[in-house]
Amino acid sequence: QSALTQPASVSGSPGQSITISCTGTSSDVGSYKLVSWYQQHPGKAPKLIIYEVSKRPSGVSNRFSGSKSGNTASLTISGLQAEDEADYYCCSYAGSSTFWVFGGGTKLTVL
Amino acid sequence: QLQLQESGPGLVKPSETLSLSCTVSGGSISNTSYYWGWIRQPPGKGLEWIGSIYYSGSTYYNPSLKSRVTISVNTSENQFSLKLSSVTAADTAVYYCARHGVEELDYWGQGTLVTVSS
């Protein structure tokens, strides 16, 4: 069982928007503004797409956005494209001893 | 451009010790801004942080694996390593090395599949 809870799957049509939730606890998501999101295509390493809840690394499309409220973080992808079909993982800093906790991952299907 | 590359045996027998190395190129492992970590992903499953190390040798381990994990660093060779003892089939996974601060894991290796089987 993963430390953070994500829906197993979400789907949307091209051009639509989808949101993936990530629920943790007051010890991780709720305590730090240090939630990150990773995109993983089959057979590839995860790629950072959001850090510090809502910041985007250079080169990541502004169609990706993040937010947080209480113990739940969210990733929104707007203007869905076929290339967005992938697995998405949330991750939260959980303190200097535990460091990182991940969500179980969400499979995004672009219909 | 920073690159990380995992290396090590792809097959380990049950009860033995899994050993992997990660070679960092395009940057120094002694950069004081970063930590160096190991993350694994069992086939068809999610990501699990195993542990991390700072260039000084300070280590941080996932409590669920702590009794079996040792991470070390070799700054002269710009490498860090993972040892996981007493492995079972449940340790079969793709093992990734990655660079991180406290904000995010920003650079990842391509990953290496380690299978535990006799």
Side-chain angles (χ1 to χ4, degrees):
Chain A
Q1 187 173 355
S2 299
L4 306 179
T5 301
Q6 297 180 234
S9 63
V10 297
S11 63
S13 300
Q16 288 186 332
S17 295
I18 63 96
T19 296
I20 300 171
S21 63
C22 170
T23 301
T25 69
S26 58
S27 297
D28 38 65
V29 175
S31 285
Y32 307 97
K33 294 182 180 179
L34 295 172
V35 176
S36 50
W37 289 88
Y38 302 83
Q39 177 191 63
Q40 186 180 36
H41 287 108
K44 300 294 187 183
K47 173 190 173 185
L48 175 68
I49 57 173
I50 293 288
Y51 67 101
E52 290 185 49
V53 176
S54 59
K55 297 181 180 179
R56 281 188 310 276
S58 174
V60 173
S61 171
N62 59 9
R63 297 185 299 105
F64 294 91
S65 62
S67 63
K68 190 187 84 156
S69 177
N71 296 338
T72 298
S74 298
L75 171 71
T76 298
I77 308 174
S78 59
L80 272 179
Q81 299 179 0
E83 67 206 49
D84 298 332
E85 187 161 293
D87 293 326
Y88 291 85
Y89 291 90
C90 64
C91 179
S92 176
Y93 181 73
S96 59
S97 58
T98 307
F99 248 121
W100 304 111
V101 289
F102 285 95
T106 298
K107 181 176 182 59
L108 169 62
T109 300
V110 180
L111 302 171
Chain B
Q1 176 79 345
L2 190 77
Q3 292 186 322
L4 293 86
Q5 179 68 57
E6 305 88 352
S7 59
L11 180 64
V12 181
K13 290 182 168 55
S15 81
E16 295 189 344
T17 296
L18 178 159
S19 296
L20 295 174
S21 292
C22 180
T23 301
V24 179
S25 58
S28 174
I29 204 168
S30 299
N31 188 318
T32 58
S33 298
Y34 298 105
Y35 299 80
W36 306 89
W38 289 96
I39 299 97
R40 70 180 182 177
Q41 184 173 34
K45 297 187 178 180
L47 300 165
E48 179 181 36
W49 174 71
I50 300 170
S52 297
I53 192 165
Y54 194 54
Y55 80 99
S56 62
S58 296
T59 52
Y60 311 84
Y61 298 136
N62 185 323
S64 69
L65 297 169
K66 187 174 183 177
S67 64
R68 298 194 292 130
V69 174
T70 303
I71 296 176
S72 58
V73 65
N74 184 330
T75 54
S76 62
E77 298 201 0
N78 232 30
Q79 284 185 342
F80 62 107
S81 299
L82 168 70
K83 290 188 185 298
L84 181 65
S85 64
S86 304
V87 297
T88 69
D91 295 309
T92 294
V94 174
Y95 286 75
Y96 295 100
C97 58
R99 184 185 84 167
H100 68 86
V102 293
E103 298 87 2
E104 76 284 348
L105 299 109
D106 58 354
Y107 283 91
W108 296 64
Q110 65 184 26
T112 186
L113 174 63
V114 179
T115 301
V116 178
S117 175
S118 55

